[in-house]
Amino acid sequence: MRTVLVTGTGGAGRTTVAAATALAFARAGGRTLLLSADPLGELLGTEPGTLGAEAGPVPAGGTAPGTASGAGHGPTEVAPGLWAARTDSGEHFRSELLALQERAATLLDLLGARKLTDEELTELPGSDRSALLQALYRAIGGGWDALVVDLPPLDDALPLLALPEQLRRYLRRLLPRERQAARALRPMMAQLAGVPMPAQWLYETAARRDAELAAVQALIEDRATTVRLVAEPGPAAARALRTARTGLALYGLRVDTLVANRTLPPDATGPWLATLAAQQRKCLEEWYEEWGPGTAVREAGHLGRDPEGRDDLVRLDRDLGGSAGDGPGVVPGAGTEPAPAVTPGLADPPWRTEDRLAEDNLLLWCLPLPGAVKSELSLVRRDDELLLTVGRFRRVVPLTSALRRCTVTGAALTDGELRVRFAPDPALWPRPH
């Protein structure tokens, strides 16, 4: 499944680009799902409130659940080959909390707690992230050719995309599998300890959540998944993208296209417009230099108004060079054009290890970090992990078997690449026979 994760600076037109991308995929012949938390009625030419709130599968016949019965029962077909669903964080929060309350009923009764009802629940901050992750999980088994996700702005999108890996690590630490294996001994241990042991449903819930998070993490890290950035050229957007580029590299997220949205024509007249156009051209020149050649930079001209309807989405796709910046054949099996040769499966991690044992008795762990600043870089070795912090981004990296038997002897940030030196520990390193 081809997956495009659309994010960018706030107010730059992320939802519009996501809708244009999804419509282009559908027009190319692939069954496409568009996920968004924002209203899509005006963009897609549908009535407000008609989009489903789930991202479940499409049956073989091609009719999505909820298409005939209205919103709230599944994705809604909004154009030939294109379905759309709106993530409802409030409904997700209420259903999840009520389900948890039901599973923990025995414990709550012991504590004398009064149960909460649906009517009195108000979603808490962060529930939108959980709702979007759940929507991604539901979309994985949907049989879609393409999935386009309208993510929140960069400041929220990058932590969201890193969340499945982080949550899985927390679950492994707090509820390790080896404890689950001893569930038969729990009643006896509870009597000996004099305190109740965690109920079986807690471990079952943790295992189920871990499986769901693993599936979403695999989707994010898949070779056929890319990030599409949207920004309106200018100094503020340039700073935001420069910072985000470091986070994207740290998390191993691959950017296929940078959409420079709402660009003004170079020959704009009038002092104000001419100055703004010149500022945009200067920013664009920097983007072409910084992001190329690995990332396509596409320009979308300013319409002079807000986009509305499918005709504007088709025009935007045309500005971006077809299929919303991807070119023809981007959807596997769609249309008559050949799809790119993308082998399904996890992409390689963003880091690599260089073997310098023969020359310097070292292993070099290397990670490209474009835009990283040495003063904002922190590196800590803890047990079998590297705790890496770059500015406001952090990632915990598990070490390979060889690196676990080494000690860290130093690190350097050179030409946008972090290089960590590992020396074999004589007490742990295999001795030659």
Side-chain angles (χ1 to χ4, degrees):
M1 178 174 67
R2 177 74 170 96
T3 303
V4 179
L5 308 171
V6 183
T7 183
T9 55
R14 302 181 320 279
T15 303
T16 302
V17 171
T21 302
L23 182 60
F25 284 173
R27 286 163 60 90
R31 293 197 304 176
T32 304
L33 173 64
L34 171 62
L35 284 178
S36 177
D38 294 331
L40 297 169
E42 291 185 359
L43 280 175
L44 298 175
T46 61
E47 293 295 327
T50 59
L51 295 186
E54 297 179 6
V58 170
T63 302
T67 301
S69 58
H73 301 282
T76 302
E77 189 170 12
V78 295
L82 174 60
W83 284 262
R86 188 164 180 249
T87 57
D88 188 340
S89 58
E91 176 60 30
H92 172 78
F93 173 79
R94 288 188 291 271
S95 62
E96 289 290 302
L97 185 57
L98 290 175
L100 177 62
Q101 180 177 252
E102 188 65 26
R103 298 297 299 271
T106 302
L107 176 61
L108 294 176
D109 289 342
L110 288 174
L111 297 175
R114 293 178 56 192
K115 291 185 178 181
L116 297 168
T117 62
D118 185 295
E119 294 78 10
E120 62 182 308
L121 292 179
T122 302
E123 64 175 301
L124 298 177
S127 59
D128 53 340
R129 296 185 181 185
S130 177
L132 186 50
L133 292 179
Q134 183 66 23
L136 289 175
Y137 173 71
R138 284 174 164 166
I140 291 172
W144 308 102
D145 296 313
L147 170 65
V148 180
V149 186
D150 175 25
L151 292 175
L154 274 167
D155 287 346
D156 293 324
L158 293 185
L160 169 66
L161 296 176
L163 195 55
E165 181 183 72
Q166 294 172 352
L167 290 178
R168 294 188 68 207
R169 180 175 178 271
Y170 297 156
L171 285 174
R172 289 193 298 269
R173 291 288 295 271
L174 298 175
L175 295 171
R177 291 193 177 116
E178 52 268 26
R179 291 190 181 180
Q180 300 182 41
R183 59 180 178 270
L185 301 177
R186 263 183 227 127
M188 181 178 65
M189 294 172 63
Q191 291 181 358
L192 294 175
V195 294
M197 301 299 290
Q200 177 62 21
W201 68 264
L202 179 60
Y203 290 97
E204 293 174 351
T205 300
R208 185 175 67 253
R209 291 302 186 201
D210 182 73
E212 294 175 358
L213 290 168
V216 176
Q217 182 182 349
L219 173 70
I220 295 172
E221 297 177 355
D222 194 272
R223 294 188 188 97
T225 297
T226 55
V227 174
R228 186 152 303 175
L229 298 176
V230 185
E232 189 171 342
R239 289 191 296 270
L241 290 182
R242 201 171 294 119
T243 300
R245 193 178 182 195
T246 305
L248 290 163
L250 176 63
Y251 298 137
L253 301 170
R254 296 159 301 284
V255 180
D256 64 358
T257 308
L258 168 56
V259 177
N261 201 20
R262 302 186 187 129
T263 58
L264 298 173
D267 56 352
T269 59
W272 185 81
L273 281 179
T275 301
L276 185 57
Q279 184 183 75
Q280 286 190 345
R281 298 316 303 177
K282 180 181 178 182
C283 182
L284 283 169
E285 291 173 1
E286 295 175 354
W287 286 354
Y288 279 113
E289 182 178 353
E290 291 178 6
W291 292 86
T295 300
V297 179
R298 309 282 190 182
E299 300 180 33
H302 204 303
L303 294 178
R305 54 176 173 78
D306 290 336
E308 184 175 340
R310 297 175 199 168
D311 290 342
D312 284 346
L313 298 181
V314 172
R315 182 185 305 176
L316 175 59
D317 174 48
R318 189 165 57 246
D319 285 351
L320 298 179
S323 290
D326 260 346
V330 294
V331 182
T336 58
E337 297 288 345
V342 177
T343 305
L346 295 180
D348 294 330
W351 50 79
R352 71 183 193 281
T353 302
E354 292 184 5
D355 188 343
R356 301 277 297 275
L357 291 173
E359 301 89 342
D360 305 313
N361 195 35
L362 289 174
L363 292 175
L364 288 180
W365 186 85
C366 308
L367 173 64
L369 291 175
V373 180
K374 184 178 180 180
S375 60
E376 298 180 350
L377 184 62
S378 171
L379 182 67
V380 177
R381 164 78 182 271
R382 181 171 297 171
D383 298 328
D384 295 336
E385 297 175 324
L386 276 182
L387 281 61
L388 181 58
T389 303
V390 187
R392 59 186 181 84
F393 305 109
R394 173 176 292 182
R395 186 173 189 182
V396 180
V397 180
L399 296 176
T400 61
S401 176
L403 295 180
R404 292 173 190 169
R405 298 193 292 269
C406 298
T407 57
V408 177
T409 61
L413 181 64
T414 307
D415 297 328
E417 183 176 70
L418 174 64
R419 300 167 70 87
V420 184
R421 298 185 295 276
F422 286 83
D425 186 340
L428 301 175
W429 197 257
R431 298 178 181 178
H433 295 288

